[in-house]
Amino acid sequence: MKRQLLVVTVALSLAACSNEAVQLVKNYEPEDYGNKTGPAFEATFNSPEWTSETSPKGYSIVTFTGYISEETHQAVVDDYLSMFDETPMYRSHVIGSACKMMFLGPAFNLLEKGEDVARNALIECLKNEWKAGEAVEVQWSVSGGEVTLESMNSHAWVGQPFTNINDYIYN
């Protein structure tokens, strides 16, 4: 009986620590953004799930999983198209970024064929940018009340720095 009580007590303690770590991350506000992590992620992704585990070194690892929503995909597309339409001198950079071009030469070639051709090529590239339904996984470490972003993983984000990804999630 004492052993069963001990097991239940330990399990409840670990669950409490796990929930505490998840709540710390959900309430965390990155300094460059004025929004809490929980509401920002839950508004950006479908089927949000939060889990926590304790690392071998004793700190918590909080994991968020979800799927890019159609609304988020469309907001990213609209943002790229807005940049393309409103900043003609940066069009080659917008196309290069959206189409994952290592060099901007092909973007300049598209622009030489005309604005409509370039815009249509951009729209085609954007079909895969932050694609709706794409799975995401984000992890933070929590130690001593401090929250640290550790990883952001999705096929939709390959090659994008955390700051670009966070701009869409938190804004």
Side-chain angles (χ1 to χ4, degrees), residues 1-14:
M1 180 71 170
K2 286 184 182 181
R3 183 177 176 164
Q4 288 176 334
L5 184 57
L6 178 62
V7 169
V8 169
T9 303
V10 169
L12 289 174
S13 295
L14 289 174

Side-chain angles (χ1 to χ4, degrees), residues 39-101:
F41 273 72
E42 290 172 6
T44 304
F45 303 103
N46 292 331
S47 304
E49 290 187 25
W50 299 87
T51 59
S52 177
E53 61 185 272
T54 303
S55 77
K57 294 186 178 182
Y59 58 87
S60 295
I61 300 169
V62 174
T63 302
F64 171 88
T65 56
Y67 300 90
I68 296 172
S69 70
E70 180 60 40
E71 294 82 13
T72 299
H73 167 75
Q74 194 58 51
V76 171
V77 168
D78 291 347
D79 188 50
Y80 272 100
L81 291 174
S82 175
M83 286 187 287
F84 181 87
D85 293 338
E86 295 171 13
T87 55
M89 69 177 152
Y90 293 113
R91 285 184 175 156
S92 61
H93 295 286
V94 173
I95 294 169
S97 174
C99 298
K100 309 285 192 267
M101 295 177 177

